Amino acid sequence: MKVIVFGATGMVGQGVLRECLIDPGIERVVVVGRSPTGVRNAKLTEIIHDDFTDYAAIEPQLTGFDACFFCLGVSSIGMGEERYRHLTYDITLAAAATLAKFNPQMTFVYVTGAGTDSTEQGSRMWARIKGKTENDLFKLPFKAAYMFRPGAIQPLHGARSKTAWVQAVYATTWPLWSVLRRISPRLVTSTEQIGRAMIRVAREGYRRKVLEMEDINSL
């Protein structure tokens, strides 16, 4: 497979990128981001791009892919609805619409979150916007689209949150995570498991289009 990854410098994206690079069935990985990942690998190509609402300048480099793993995301804490919608919905749909235009054979996998509101009518702002994002991704002419809804995520193999206070929480609670993953597979997953599950879904498909924690951990 040839895959393209968005959000490879974030915690989840770091894990997904690692799994793509060590998977022998993936021959090429292209990362689109605003800053370099710092990773060196013969399979990896990085495209540095600033405007995540307009891909006209790099369209020739966005063709020929079998899968996209879209891991870009921000916390809604302290953020107004208009700003959060731009960073979540507008940016995701801009990238997805461009990729669908040039890669109709592609499987698009999007990381949302546990509690996403598919009705778009609930009281939680972030959940409504995530729900609309999911719903509109399903309308695009991809071969297939899957929504991953992880909850608590254990960062493995050096993956780190870009948010300082979140990383501090992970560091202080690290001894508990492996135990929690074993006893609560419906509540906790890992960056490694998300990456492996994304690759498997892109390669083989899955019986459900929206994957909750238990689905992710079963793959």
Side-chain angles (χ1 to χ4, degrees):
M1 288 197 302
K2 299 180 179 68
V3 305
I4 186 166
V5 180
F6 286 75
T9 59
M11 188 184 79
V12 172
Q14 292 168 41
V16 171
L17 176 59
R18 177 186 183 272
E19 298 307 313
C20 288
L21 293 176
I22 66 176
D23 189 297
I26 294 179
E27 62 180 277
R28 184 182 180 218
V29 182
V30 171
V31 165
V32 179
R34 292 191 179 93
S35 59
T37 63
V39 176
R40 299 291 179 266
N41 189 285
K43 294 198 295 189
L44 177 62
T45 300
E46 298 197 47
I47 301 172
I48 305 302
H49 186 67
D50 290 327
D51 188 351
F52 275 30
T53 62
D54 185 353
Y55 294 90
I58 61 170
E59 282 181 354
Q61 301 174 71
L62 302 181
T63 64
F65 293 97
D66 302 295
C68 173
F69 301 140
F70 200 92
C71 308
L72 274 177
V74 296
S75 170
S76 64
I77 296 174
M79 191 176 296
E81 182 164 349
E82 183 177 351
R83 179 65 173 163
Y84 184 75
R85 178 187 173 94
H86 172 70
L87 294 175
T88 300
Y89 178 85
D90 295 345
I91 283 178
T92 303
L93 267 293
T98 300
L99 291 171
K101 178 180 177 182
F102 296 106
N103 304 272
Q105 77 288 351
M106 172 181 282
T107 295
F108 191 94
V109 184
Y110 176 56
V111 180
T112 61
T116 293
D117 177 13
S118 297
T119 72
E120 306 177 32
Q121 303 298 317
S123 60
R124 293 172 300 169
M125 175 270 286
W126 74 266
R128 293 195 309 271
I129 292 173
K130 286 282 194 180
K132 179 170 178 56
T133 305
E134 287 187 354
N135 292 339
D136 286 359
L137 285 172
F138 281 131
K139 298 173 185 177
L140 293 174
F142 289 114
K143 172 186 173 183
Y146 296 93
M147 309 298 134
F148 273 44
R149 293 182 175 180
I153 303 169
Q154 179 186 16
L156 295 177
H157 309 295
R160 296 175 60 87
S161 173
K162 296 170 74 174
T163 304
W165 70 266
V166 173
Q167 182 57 37
V169 170
Y170 280 124
T172 56
T173 59
W174 179 260
L176 299 174
W177 282 91
S178 294
V179 175
L180 288 173
R181 283 176 56 209
R182 287 196 299 271
I183 66 176
S184 302
R186 294 185 179 183
L187 301 176
V188 183
T189 188
S190 70
T191 52
E192 177 184 78
Q193 186 60 51
I194 292 172
R196 290 180 178 179
M198 283 187 164
I199 293 168
R200 187 167 179 185
V201 164
R203 186 175 283 143
E204 303 174 12
Y206 192 66
R207 64 184 183 274
R208 284 191 281 272
K209 299 299 184 183
V210 176
L211 286 79
E212 305 287 353
M213 288 286 276
E214 208 166 9
D215 300 298
I216 295 168
N217 285 334
S218 73
L219 290 166

